[in-house]
């Protein structure tokens, strides 16, 4: 059985759900993959990079799915820093004969997030949303240039008005609900089957 490692933040961890209902578990079941979930809530791409070798490289999976950057943007870190961290993980993976796959992070449901009692992003939601769109575009461009597979789980969460579809999120507007996890899984499953013939 092929092995897939999933490196990410709370979107990947799915701590609010029963283990078998998170998107990594759904992908593993659908594609007959042995999945290891390395998602940690609140983690940033520097954190992911720091634990990439001991967790992913030493595991030696066939594939690694990398998705992150939202928490970095929350703290107003620059897009170029996020790109550097993500592509460092990709190139380390390649060096160790692990196929990297980049996931484009989901948007934020701003209206729902504003109604929560936690502090918002340092630069405000409007600026964060702009930076997230920039990150998604640049991840796509640089991954294509580097011949790294990209899975777009960002745009399926946007409605015709280009706003996040609130019915796909928990009340906090940041994390996907069960329908959201299913939507992420469906996009990844479709892409894996198209690219790798699972």
């Amino acid at each position: 059985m092929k092995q897939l490692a999933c490196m990410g933040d709370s979107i990947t961890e799915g701590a609010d759900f029963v283990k078998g209902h998170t998107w990594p578990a759904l992908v593993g079941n659908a594609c007959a993959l042995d999945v290891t979930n390395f998602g940690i809530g609140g983690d940033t791409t520097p954190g992911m990079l720091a634990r990439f070798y001991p967790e992913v490289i030493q595991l030696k999976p066939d594939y690694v799915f990398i998705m992150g950057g939202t928490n970095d943007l929350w703290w107003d870190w620059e897009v170029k820093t996020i790109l550097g961290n993500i592509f460092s993980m990709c190139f380390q993976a390649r060096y160790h004969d692990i196929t990297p796959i980049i996931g484009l992070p989901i948007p934020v449901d701003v209206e729902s997030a504003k109604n929560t009692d936690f502090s918002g992003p340092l630069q405000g939601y409007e600026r964060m949303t702009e930076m997230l769109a920039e990150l998604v575009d640049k991840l796509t461009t640089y991954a294509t240039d580097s011949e790294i597979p990209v899975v777009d789980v960002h745009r399926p969460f946007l409605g015709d008005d280009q706003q996040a579809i609130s019915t796909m999120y928990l009340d906090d507007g940041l994390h996907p609900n069960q329908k959201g996890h299913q939507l992420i899984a469906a996009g990844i499953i479709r892409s894996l089957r198209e690219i790798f013939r699972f």
Side-chain angles (χ1 to χ4, degrees):
M1 180 181 285
K2 297 282 189 180
Q3 194 169 25
L4 169 69
C6 296
M7 174 59 72
D9 51 30
S10 56
I11 308 301
T12 298
E13 181 186 16
D16 296 307
F17 297 96
V18 177
K19 190 175 182 181
H21 295 278
T22 61
W23 71 256
L26 296 173
V27 169
N29 291 336
C31 296
L33 290 166
D34 179 13
V35 175
T36 303
N37 189 336
F38 289 117
I40 294 181
D43 204 6
T44 56
T45 57
M48 295 176 205
L49 180 58
R51 56 192 177 90
F52 195 74
Y53 185 87
E55 292 184 347
V56 175
I57 301 300
Q58 291 193 340
L59 180 66
K60 298 181 179 178
D62 299 281
Y63 310 94
V64 58
F65 189 94
I66 302 166
M67 183 166 65
T70 303
N71 291 322
D72 306 55
L73 295 176
W74 193 271
W75 297 112
D76 200 17
W77 294 354
E78 294 187 23
V79 168
K80 64 183 180 182
T81 301
I82 303 169
L83 293 169
N85 291 331
I86 289 176
F87 283 98
S88 290
M89 287 185 272
C90 289
F91 297 138
Q92 284 186 40
R94 271 187 174 170
Y95 181 81
H96 291 278
D97 298 317
I98 301 166
T99 301
I101 306 162
I102 293 175
L104 303 181
I106 69 172
V108 173
D109 177 12
V110 173
E111 292 309 311
S112 296
K114 284 181 177 178
N115 291 326
T116 60
D117 58 2
F118 51 76
S119 299
L122 287 181
Q123 78 282 36
Y125 284 105
E126 183 176 350
R127 176 60 180 154
M128 181 188 173
T129 300
E130 293 172 356
M131 292 175 68
L132 184 56
E134 179 186 348
L135 175 63
V136 164
D137 288 343
K138 288 186 175 178
L139 279 172
T140 303
T141 298
Y142 294 133
T144 301
D145 290 347
S146 300
E147 298 183 337
I148 296 171
V150 178
V151 178
D152 185 358
V153 296
H154 180 89
R155 289 177 181 85
F157 277 79
L158 296 174
D160 292 337
D161 59 358
Q162 295 304 300
Q163 300 300 309
I165 303 171
S166 59
T167 55
M168 294 295 167
Y169 294 82
L170 297 175
D171 291 342
D172 63 12
L174 303 173
H175 300 95
N177 59 20
Q178 191 61 67
K179 287 183 179 180
H181 274 269
Q182 291 169 351
L183 184 61
I184 293 172
I188 296 171
I189 291 164
R190 183 171 55 252
S191 293
L192 291 179
R193 287 175 173 166
E194 289 175 355
I195 298 167
F196 302 110
R197 306 302 182 205
F198 283 121

